Short mmCIF file of all heavy atoms in Angstrom, two decimals:
data_model
loop_
_atom_site.label_atom_id
_atom_site.label_comp_id
_atom_site.label_asym_id
_atom_site.label_seq_id
_atom_site.Cartn_x
_atom_site.Cartn_y
_atom_site.Cartn_z
N GLU A 19 -8.27 1.34 1.32
CA GLU A 19 -9.44 2.18 1.64
C GLU A 19 -9.44 3.58 1.07
O GLU A 19 -10.37 3.92 0.61
CB GLU A 19 -9.60 2.16 3.13
CG GLU A 19 -10.06 1.00 3.73
CD GLU A 19 -10.38 1.18 5.18
OE1 GLU A 19 -10.13 2.24 5.79
OE2 GLU A 19 -11.01 0.36 5.72
N SER A 20 -8.24 4.13 0.95
CA SER A 20 -8.01 5.44 0.51
C SER A 20 -6.65 5.58 -0.30
O SER A 20 -5.77 4.92 0.13
CB SER A 20 -8.06 6.43 1.69
OG SER A 20 -9.27 6.46 2.32
N CYS A 21 -6.69 6.45 -1.20
CA CYS A 21 -5.41 6.83 -1.97
C CYS A 21 -5.27 8.13 -2.17
O CYS A 21 -6.10 8.87 -2.75
CB CYS A 21 -5.57 6.06 -3.44
SG CYS A 21 -4.14 6.36 -4.43
N TYR A 22 -4.20 8.81 -1.62
CA TYR A 22 -4.01 10.20 -1.63
C TYR A 22 -2.82 10.60 -2.29
O TYR A 22 -1.74 10.03 -2.26
CB TYR A 22 -3.81 10.73 -0.08
CG TYR A 22 -4.82 10.31 0.83
CD1 TYR A 22 -4.78 9.33 1.72
CD2 TYR A 22 -6.06 11.14 0.95
CE1 TYR A 22 -5.63 8.90 2.53
CE2 TYR A 22 -7.01 10.83 1.81
CZ TYR A 22 -6.85 9.71 2.67
OH TYR A 22 -7.75 9.39 3.55
N SER A 23 -2.91 11.46 -3.31
CA SER A 23 -1.79 12.11 -4.17
C SER A 23 -1.27 13.07 -3.27
O SER A 23 -1.93 13.94 -2.73
CB SER A 23 -2.33 12.67 -5.42
OG SER A 23 -1.25 13.24 -6.01
N VAL A 24 0.12 13.13 -3.04
CA VAL A 24 0.72 13.94 -2.04
C VAL A 24 1.86 14.67 -2.56
O VAL A 24 2.62 14.16 -3.64
CB VAL A 24 1.21 13.08 -0.80
CG1 VAL A 24 -0.04 12.62 -0.01
CG2 VAL A 24 2.17 12.11 -1.01
N ALA A 25 2.34 15.81 -1.99
CA ALA A 25 3.52 16.48 -2.35
C ALA A 25 4.63 15.93 -1.46
O ALA A 25 4.43 15.43 -0.44
CB ALA A 25 3.38 17.97 -1.97
N GLY A 26 5.84 15.94 -2.03
CA GLY A 26 6.95 15.43 -1.16
C GLY A 26 7.74 14.34 -1.96
O GLY A 26 7.47 14.25 -3.24
N ASP A 27 8.53 13.64 -1.14
CA ASP A 27 9.25 12.48 -1.86
C ASP A 27 8.41 11.32 -2.38
O ASP A 27 8.57 10.86 -3.52
CB ASP A 27 10.28 11.85 -0.89
CG ASP A 27 11.40 12.83 -0.52
OD1 ASP A 27 11.68 13.74 -1.30
OD2 ASP A 27 11.89 12.75 0.56
N GLU A 28 7.32 11.02 -1.71
CA GLU A 28 6.40 10.01 -2.12
C GLU A 28 5.41 10.57 -3.21
O GLU A 28 5.09 11.87 -3.02
CB GLU A 28 5.60 9.47 -0.91
CG GLU A 28 6.38 8.59 0.04
CD GLU A 28 6.97 9.52 1.30
OE1 GLU A 28 6.64 10.60 1.32
OE2 GLU A 28 7.78 8.92 1.93
N SER A 29 4.85 9.78 -3.95
CA SER A 29 3.81 10.22 -4.90
C SER A 29 2.39 10.11 -4.39
O SER A 29 1.46 10.81 -4.62
CB SER A 29 3.95 9.35 -6.25
OG SER A 29 5.19 9.63 -6.92
N TYR A 30 2.17 9.02 -3.62
CA TYR A 30 0.92 8.68 -2.99
C TYR A 30 1.04 8.05 -1.66
O TYR A 30 2.02 7.36 -1.44
CB TYR A 30 0.19 7.58 -3.95
CG TYR A 30 -0.22 8.20 -5.26
CD1 TYR A 30 0.65 8.07 -6.45
CD2 TYR A 30 -1.53 8.74 -5.47
CE1 TYR A 30 0.17 8.72 -7.60
CE2 TYR A 30 -1.90 9.35 -6.70
CZ TYR A 30 -1.01 9.27 -7.74
OH TYR A 30 -1.45 9.74 -8.95
N ILE A 31 -0.04 8.20 -0.84
CA ILE A 31 -0.13 7.46 0.30
C ILE A 31 -1.39 6.80 0.40
O ILE A 31 -2.45 7.29 0.06
CB ILE A 31 -0.01 8.43 1.55
CG1 ILE A 31 1.40 9.16 1.60
CG2 ILE A 31 -0.22 7.68 2.84
CD1 ILE A 31 1.52 10.21 2.71
N LEU A 32 -1.39 5.51 0.65
CA LEU A 32 -2.51 4.68 0.71
C LEU A 32 -2.84 4.31 2.24
O LEU A 32 -1.96 4.08 3.01
CB LEU A 32 -2.12 3.26 0.14
CG LEU A 32 -1.53 3.29 -1.40
CD1 LEU A 32 -1.19 1.76 -1.69
CD2 LEU A 32 -2.48 3.89 -2.25
N GLN A 33 -4.21 4.32 2.48
CA GLN A 33 -4.63 3.79 3.76
C GLN A 33 -5.21 2.42 3.48
O GLN A 33 -6.06 2.32 2.63
CB GLN A 33 -5.68 4.76 4.37
CG GLN A 33 -6.25 4.25 5.69
CD GLN A 33 -7.33 5.09 6.37
OE1 GLN A 33 -7.55 6.20 5.88
NE2 GLN A 33 -7.73 4.69 7.38
N VAL A 34 -4.72 1.41 4.23
CA VAL A 34 -5.14 0.01 4.07
C VAL A 34 -5.60 -0.54 5.32
O VAL A 34 -5.28 -0.10 6.43
CB VAL A 34 -3.90 -0.88 3.43
CG1 VAL A 34 -3.45 -0.14 2.10
CG2 VAL A 34 -2.86 -1.01 4.45
N ARG A 35 -6.53 -1.50 5.28
CA ARG A 35 -6.99 -2.36 6.35
C ARG A 35 -6.90 -3.84 5.99
O ARG A 35 -7.30 -4.22 5.01
CB ARG A 35 -8.40 -1.86 6.60
CG ARG A 35 -8.80 -2.14 8.13
CD ARG A 35 -10.15 -1.60 8.40
NE ARG A 35 -10.23 -0.18 8.30
CZ ARG A 35 -10.09 0.59 9.41
NH1 ARG A 35 -9.91 0.09 10.59
NH2 ARG A 35 -10.25 1.93 9.26
N VAL A 36 -6.24 -4.53 6.94
CA VAL A 36 -5.91 -6.04 6.66
C VAL A 36 -6.23 -6.76 7.96
O VAL A 36 -6.31 -6.25 9.09
CB VAL A 36 -4.41 -6.33 6.15
CG1 VAL A 36 -4.37 -5.63 4.63
CG2 VAL A 36 -3.53 -5.77 7.06
N ALA A 37 -6.11 -8.10 7.83
CA ALA A 37 -6.39 -9.02 9.00
C ALA A 37 -5.25 -9.14 9.82
O ALA A 37 -5.39 -9.43 11.09
CB ALA A 37 -7.01 -10.29 8.44
N SER A 38 -4.03 -9.05 9.36
CA SER A 38 -2.87 -9.50 10.09
C SER A 38 -1.55 -8.94 9.43
O SER A 38 -1.54 -8.49 8.33
CB SER A 38 -2.74 -10.90 10.17
OG SER A 38 -2.45 -11.47 8.88
N PRO A 39 -0.52 -8.95 10.31
CA PRO A 39 0.75 -8.64 9.72
C PRO A 39 1.09 -9.50 8.48
O PRO A 39 1.74 -8.79 7.46
CB PRO A 39 1.78 -8.89 10.81
CG PRO A 39 0.93 -8.78 12.10
CD PRO A 39 -0.39 -9.26 11.75
N LEU A 40 0.80 -10.70 8.53
CA LEU A 40 1.04 -11.50 7.29
C LEU A 40 0.22 -11.05 6.14
O LEU A 40 0.77 -10.92 4.95
CB LEU A 40 0.59 -12.95 7.55
CG LEU A 40 1.08 -14.00 6.51
CD1 LEU A 40 2.58 -13.95 6.18
CD2 LEU A 40 0.60 -15.34 6.83
N GLY A 41 -0.96 -10.65 6.30
CA GLY A 41 -1.80 -10.03 5.23
C GLY A 41 -1.28 -8.68 4.81
O GLY A 41 -1.27 -8.48 3.58
N LEU A 42 -0.77 -7.94 5.65
CA LEU A 42 0.00 -6.72 5.28
C LEU A 42 1.14 -7.01 4.44
O LEU A 42 1.45 -6.34 3.24
CB LEU A 42 0.35 -5.77 6.47
CG LEU A 42 1.08 -4.46 6.21
CD1 LEU A 42 0.24 -3.52 5.27
CD2 LEU A 42 1.51 -3.89 7.53
N GLU A 43 1.94 -7.99 4.74
CA GLU A 43 3.15 -8.35 3.92
C GLU A 43 2.75 -8.76 2.53
O GLU A 43 3.35 -8.39 1.60
CB GLU A 43 3.83 -9.57 4.71
CG GLU A 43 5.11 -9.87 4.00
CD GLU A 43 5.89 -10.87 4.86
OE1 GLU A 43 5.30 -11.67 5.55
OE2 GLU A 43 7.19 -10.98 4.73
N GLU A 44 1.77 -9.50 2.48
CA GLU A 44 1.11 -9.95 1.16
C GLU A 44 0.65 -8.90 0.34
O GLU A 44 0.96 -8.73 -0.89
CB GLU A 44 0.08 -10.99 1.38
CG GLU A 44 -0.60 -11.48 0.00
CD GLU A 44 0.26 -12.04 -1.06
OE1 GLU A 44 1.47 -12.43 -0.77
OE2 GLU A 44 -0.05 -12.00 -2.23
N LEU A 45 0.02 -7.93 0.94
CA LEU A 45 -0.59 -6.72 0.30
C LEU A 45 0.58 -5.91 -0.24
O LEU A 45 0.61 -5.40 -1.27
CB LEU A 45 -1.45 -5.85 1.17
CG LEU A 45 -2.05 -4.62 0.41
CD1 LEU A 45 -2.84 -4.96 -0.72
CD2 LEU A 45 -2.87 -3.86 1.65
N LEU A 46 1.65 -5.68 0.60
CA LEU A 46 2.86 -4.85 0.11
C LEU A 46 3.47 -5.53 -1.12
O LEU A 46 3.77 -4.89 -1.97
CB LEU A 46 3.85 -4.95 1.21
CG LEU A 46 3.47 -3.90 2.46
CD1 LEU A 46 4.41 -4.10 3.67
CD2 LEU A 46 3.44 -2.50 1.93
N ARG A 47 3.52 -6.79 -1.20
CA ARG A 47 4.03 -7.54 -2.26
C ARG A 47 3.21 -7.23 -3.52
O ARG A 47 3.69 -6.90 -4.52
CB ARG A 47 4.24 -9.06 -2.08
CG ARG A 47 4.73 -9.79 -3.22
CD ARG A 47 4.40 -11.37 -3.13
NE ARG A 47 3.06 -11.76 -3.19
CZ ARG A 47 2.40 -11.65 -4.30
NH1 ARG A 47 2.94 -11.18 -5.45
NH2 ARG A 47 1.08 -12.04 -4.43
N GLN A 48 1.84 -7.28 -3.39
CA GLN A 48 0.99 -7.11 -4.50
C GLN A 48 1.07 -5.71 -5.02
O GLN A 48 1.08 -5.44 -6.20
CB GLN A 48 -0.49 -7.38 -4.05
CG GLN A 48 -0.83 -8.91 -3.88
CD GLN A 48 -2.19 -9.06 -3.35
OE1 GLN A 48 -3.11 -8.20 -3.41
NE2 GLN A 48 -2.37 -10.28 -2.74
N ILE A 49 1.19 -4.67 -4.13
CA ILE A 49 1.37 -3.25 -4.41
C ILE A 49 2.63 -3.09 -5.28
O ILE A 49 2.61 -2.42 -6.37
CB ILE A 49 1.26 -2.32 -3.21
CG1 ILE A 49 -0.15 -2.29 -2.65
CG2 ILE A 49 1.77 -0.92 -3.50
CD1 ILE A 49 -0.29 -1.70 -1.30
N ARG A 50 3.71 -3.52 -4.70
CA ARG A 50 5.03 -3.41 -5.31
C ARG A 50 5.02 -4.11 -6.71
O ARG A 50 5.62 -3.43 -7.69
CB ARG A 50 6.17 -4.01 -4.53
CG ARG A 50 6.51 -3.16 -3.26
CD ARG A 50 7.55 -3.91 -2.44
NE ARG A 50 7.61 -3.38 -1.16
CZ ARG A 50 7.66 -3.98 0.06
NH1 ARG A 50 7.58 -5.28 0.01
NH2 ARG A 50 7.77 -3.40 1.19
N GLU A 51 4.45 -5.18 -6.96
CA GLU A 51 4.41 -5.90 -8.20
C GLU A 51 3.50 -5.12 -9.12
O GLU A 51 3.77 -5.05 -10.30
CB GLU A 51 3.88 -7.31 -7.92
CG GLU A 51 3.77 -8.21 -9.07
CD GLU A 51 3.30 -9.55 -8.80
OE1 GLU A 51 4.12 -10.32 -8.14
OE2 GLU A 51 2.15 -9.87 -9.11
N ALA A 52 2.26 -4.75 -8.75
CA ALA A 52 1.43 -4.15 -9.58
C ALA A 52 1.90 -2.69 -10.09
O ALA A 52 1.65 -2.28 -11.26
CB ALA A 52 0.00 -4.02 -9.01
N ALA A 53 2.37 -1.86 -9.09
CA ALA A 53 2.70 -0.46 -9.37
C ALA A 53 4.25 -0.22 -9.60
O ALA A 53 4.59 0.93 -10.21
CB ALA A 53 2.21 0.39 -8.24
N LYS A 54 5.09 -1.21 -9.41
CA LYS A 54 6.54 -1.06 -9.77
C LYS A 54 6.96 0.17 -8.84
O LYS A 54 7.46 1.05 -9.48
CB LYS A 54 6.82 -0.83 -11.22
CG LYS A 54 6.22 -1.88 -12.05
CD LYS A 54 6.81 -3.19 -11.82
CE LYS A 54 6.34 -4.27 -12.87
NZ LYS A 54 5.62 -5.45 -12.24
#
């Protein structure tokens, strides 16, 4: 839903909305794969 560029150790913080913990797990996989 939102992507924030941030200062600190992280580069970005994403706000996400999903149907379930399994959906979150799948989204995390997709994010890691797409953005490395």
